Amino acid sequence: SSSVARSGSPRRPAAMPKWQGGDGSNGNWQEDQLSAAVTQALEPILPQETEWDQAKLEKRVKQYFRNAAKNLEFHVKPWQELVEEYADHVFASLFQALKERPWLMQVDFLMVVDAGVKELFPPYILQHVPQVVFEQQVLSAHDRAFEEQRFAPMLWDTLFERIEDKQQKTRIYNAMEAARKEAATVTGEGNPVEDFVKAWVACSLREVQSQCNLPLEQALPSDLCRDIFHALFEAGALPLPLTQEGQPPDGLIIIDQAIEDGYAGTLPVPPAPEKPKSAGKSKASPGNAYRAPSSNVYKEPRVAPSVAYGNTFSQGKGGKGGKGW
């Protein structure tokens, strides 16, 4: 519904950048909106930061957002892909540098991504882009990139506790990470959680078998696979848009059935996606060579973008601080 805010009490930044795009509106965003957006985003968590003072924290975060735009191919790629890559670089840097900070999961960086794109992208890139289209693209890229970086250490910790062989661990990590990204692009007509879990399990088993070049049961024993998926589910690995009202009570049952069907060969398996030629590893995000297209999970608008995205500045992440979807 267009009347639903992103969370709690909406807060508007003191100086929201005005839009100058292809929808006939006028105005222009002020310079250094990035600094204002960083200050606003970090304000709620400042009492929790014990290592750096406010000035140092804001300086570091602003640098992550500025550096993320340095190697983007502005003259080659479409603007939507550039926004996706910018979000990838930003969150890879944030999670690499600040992953030990408990408050990281509480910060809403949406308006910082917005300001970073507007300030750091060449003006002609967005000259003919309607505001609503721009906002939905930034929202989708922000949520997808955050979600992928949130999941990566969760997966690694789960595998580290269960698999000793380093090579096997790396292959299964790469397989399950790529499979989760791909599963988020699958469109289903039934229960969203069930559709996602089935696609994630099916893509994972396909990728594991492909990367290990072994029979499936030998590459990843079914009991171990079940243990891994159970641990990930309990750690909160389902995409946040699917858990706004809490973990689904039948989640483990869905997982078990999908794994049973997968090993029996009766679970539909999507064809392996083609890897884009331009895909490359982010310096701050090892194993990030494959990136699925903007997914259906994250494309679902939380609100009408021109209503809530452009007029609110909220705190917290969905499922953590109560951000609505």
Side-chain angles (χ1 to χ4, degrees), residues 225-243:
C225 179
R226 188 176 296 105
D227 184 34
I228 290 171
F229 272 98
H230 278 213
L232 289 172
F233 175 82
E234 291 166 358
L238 289 182
L240 295 180
L242 300 180
T243 60

Side-chain angles (χ1 to χ4, degrees), residues 201-222:
V201 170
C203 294
S204 294
L205 299 185
R206 184 199 67 212
E207 291 295 309
V208 165
Q209 193 166 11
S210 173
Q211 294 206 25
C212 296
N213 198 27
L214 292 168
L216 182 56
E217 187 67 41
Q218 187 176 345
L220 180 62
S222 55

Side-chain angles (χ1 to χ4, degrees), residues 52-116:
W52 297 338
D53 60 23
Q54 180 177 356
K56 184 174 182 179
L57 178 61
E58 291 185 4
K59 180 180 179 181
R60 292 287 182 90
V61 171
K62 282 187 286 186
Q63 197 62 47
Y64 302 146
F65 277 84
R66 293 190 189 283
N67 289 344
K70 283 187 175 180
N71 296 316
L72 296 180
E73 299 176 275
F74 291 115
H75 304 292
V76 178
K77 297 181 178 180
W79 73 271
Q80 298 96 326
E81 187 173 347
L82 291 168
V83 172
E84 296 283 349
E85 289 189 8
Y86 178 69
D88 279 334
H89 297 169
V90 161
F91 282 103
S93 296
L94 286 169
F95 273 79
Q96 183 183 50
L98 304 172
K99 60 180 177 293
E100 302 299 332
R101 304 296 212 278
W103 51 257
L104 181 60
M105 301 291 289
Q106 303 171 30
V107 181
D108 189 343
F109 286 108
L110 174 62
M111 297 310 300
V112 191
V113 175
D114 174 285

Side-chain angles (χ1 to χ4, degrees), residues 69-214:
K70 283 187 175 180
N71 296 316
L72 296 180
E73 299 176 275
F74 291 115
H75 304 292
V76 178
K77 297 181 178 180
W79 73 271
Q80 298 96 326
E81 187 173 347
L82 291 168
V83 172
E84 296 283 349
E85 289 189 8
Y86 178 69
D88 279 334
H89 297 169
V90 161
F91 282 103
S93 296
L94 286 169
F95 273 79
Q96 183 183 50
L98 304 172
K99 60 180 177 293
E100 302 299 332
R101 304 296 212 278
W103 51 257
L104 181 60
M105 301 291 289
Q106 303 171 30
V107 181
D108 189 343
F109 286 108
L110 174 62
M111 297 310 300
V112 191
V113 175
D114 174 285
V117 171
K118 290 175 179 175
E119 185 173 315
L120 303 172
F121 281 36
Y124 73 87
I125 295 285
L126 305 172
Q127 185 175 2
H128 301 293
V129 179
Q131 180 179 0
V132 170
V133 175
F134 172 81
E135 290 177 347
Q136 190 58 55
Q137 179 61 53
V138 171
L139 176 62
S140 174
H142 166 280
D143 288 357
R144 178 197 55 76
F146 167 81
E147 181 71 25
E148 290 175 5
Q149 290 297 326
R150 179 185 77 88
F151 171 70
M154 190 185 303
L155 174 61
W156 183 256
D157 289 345
T158 299
L159 298 180
F160 185 83
E161 296 171 355
R162 290 164 174 80
I163 301 175
E164 293 185 4
D165 183 83
K166 183 177 180 181
Q167 190 174 49
Q168 182 193 22
K169 181 163 48 186
T170 299
R171 286 174 175 171
I172 293 177
Y173 173 89
N174 290 337
M176 296 188 72
E177 182 191 37
R180 187 176 182 276
K181 294 176 184 180
E182 183 183 347
T185 71
V186 174
T187 303
E189 298 180 355
N191 182 307
V193 173
E194 186 172 355
D195 290 339
F196 175 81
V197 168
K198 286 181 176 179
W200 186 17
V201 170
C203 294
S204 294
L205 299 185
R206 184 199 67 212
E207 291 295 309
V208 165
Q209 193 166 11
S210 173
Q211 294 206 25
C212 296
N213 198 27
L214 292 168

